[in-house]
Amino acid sequence: DQQVKQNSPSLSVQEGRISILNCDYTNSMFDYFLWYKKYPAEGPTFLISISSIKDKNEDGRFTVFLNKSAKHLSLHIVPSQPGDSAVYFCAAGAGNQFYFGTGTSLTVIP
Amino acid sequence: DAGITQSPRHKVTETGTPVTLRCHQTENHRYMYWYRQDPEHGLRLIHYSYGVKDTDKGEVSDGYSVSRSKTEDFLLTLESATSSQTSVYFCAISESLGGLYEQYFGPGTRLTVT
């Protein structure tokens, strides 16, 4: 069973608008969460993370929100740029293990 | 960019043959990981290492073994490859295991088992 789910396989957004990528998880023991960005033929690269003791973390155009009661994580990108077009993976960790979602392919339209 | 290389980058092999993938790092990070990426499952942890000769199983370890005889090298072996092991394999490294941290990923190895 998938412990981390990204239910939207793809998302298209106009340049300059907000991109919102969502992630749901099932295990309440997860205590940290991360977002990775992946371009074709490359490995994922770290984007932003958040601890379970926080509900928001911001880094430039990227903000991650955590709603523990709903077991829901979201990544906001404002403003979206064409270079943001990539696959985004959310991941959740507990102890020594990370669990990844299946990814959301974001396309930012110029 | 973190210094992580994977070899080979592409491999086609036949069912039943042994295959070894290599991950090499120049960052001297303690922790190393092997993941496989499949469209319907995302990235899944196969095995990880927390030091030389110290390894542990991940979510999908059946059919895979690993070895780490030096800090910089982490090998993933498929003793007898099966078609279900066709996938893209990523190695990752990190400095710390607990708390907030990031993993640096290698470029990936595309393995096809025919």
Side-chain angles (χ1 to χ4, degrees):
Chain A
D1 259 0
Q2 197 81 14
Q3 296 197 48
V4 177
K5 297 179 183 179
Q6 293 177 258
N7 293 318
S8 298
S10 62
L11 175 69
S12 290
V13 171
Q14 289 286 337
E15 180 179 4
R17 307 295 291 268
I18 184 171
S19 295
I20 300 176
L21 295 95
N22 294 302
C23 180
D24 296 298
Y25 61 95
T26 58
N27 189 341
S28 58
M29 298 301 291
F30 289 142
D31 53 9
Y32 50 95
F33 305 86
L34 308 94
W35 284 94
Y36 285 84
K37 178 179 177 179
K38 185 182 180 305
Y39 293 116
E42 295 182 10
T45 55
F46 172 77
L47 204 52
I48 193 169
S49 62
I50 188 167
S51 162
S52 61
I53 62 173
K54 295 188 173 182
D55 53 21
K56 177 181 174 182
N57 188 28
E58 201 169 346
D59 184 2
R61 296 185 299 113
F62 303 92
T63 303
V64 56
F65 294 92
L66 175 63
N67 182 335
K68 283 179 297 196
S69 60
K71 294 192 179 68
H72 180 79
L73 189 69
S74 64
L75 174 69
H76 292 209
I77 306 173
V78 184
S80 300
Q81 300 172 353
D84 296 329
S85 296
V87 177
Y88 289 79
F89 290 97
C90 68
N96 301 339
Q97 301 247 3
F98 275 109
Y99 297 87
F100 283 76
T102 51
T104 296
S105 178
L106 173 66
T107 301
V108 180
I109 303 163
Chain B
D1 283 350
I4 312 169
T5 56
Q6 292 183 232
S7 58
R9 294 293 313 279
H10 301 272
K11 186 167 182 68
V12 180
T13 191
E14 292 184 351
T15 298
T17 59
V19 177
T20 295
L21 308 183
R22 180 182 183 236
C23 177
H24 179 78
Q25 61 147 327
T26 58
E27 305 296 320
N28 203 35
H29 281 3
R30 179 179 174 187
Y31 300 95
M32 298 185 76
Y33 311 79
W34 276 107
Y35 289 89
R36 59 178 288 175
Q37 184 196 358
D38 305 289
E40 66 277 20
H41 295 292
L43 285 150
R44 292 179 294 173
L45 181 65
I46 304 171
H47 282 279
Y48 66 97
S49 168
Y50 46 96
V52 174
K53 298 193 191 312
D54 292 322
T55 64
D56 207 347
K57 295 179 180 180
E59 189 183 354
V60 290
S61 59
D62 287 349
Y64 301 94
S65 62
V66 290
S67 65
R68 191 167 178 202
S69 58
K70 297 185 290 185
T71 299
E72 57 267 33
D73 290 325
F74 193 32
L75 304 180
L76 176 71
T77 298
L78 291 66
E79 300 290 347
S80 177
T82 67
S83 58
S84 65
Q85 293 175 312
T86 292
S87 187
V88 180
Y89 291 85
F90 288 101
C91 173
I93 65 174
S94 70
E95 184 51 42
S96 61
L97 193 60
L100 285 173
Y101 71 100
E102 55 185 282
Q103 295 177 327
Y104 299 96
F105 283 82
T109 294
R110 183 173 292 277
L111 176 67
T112 302
V113 183
T114 61

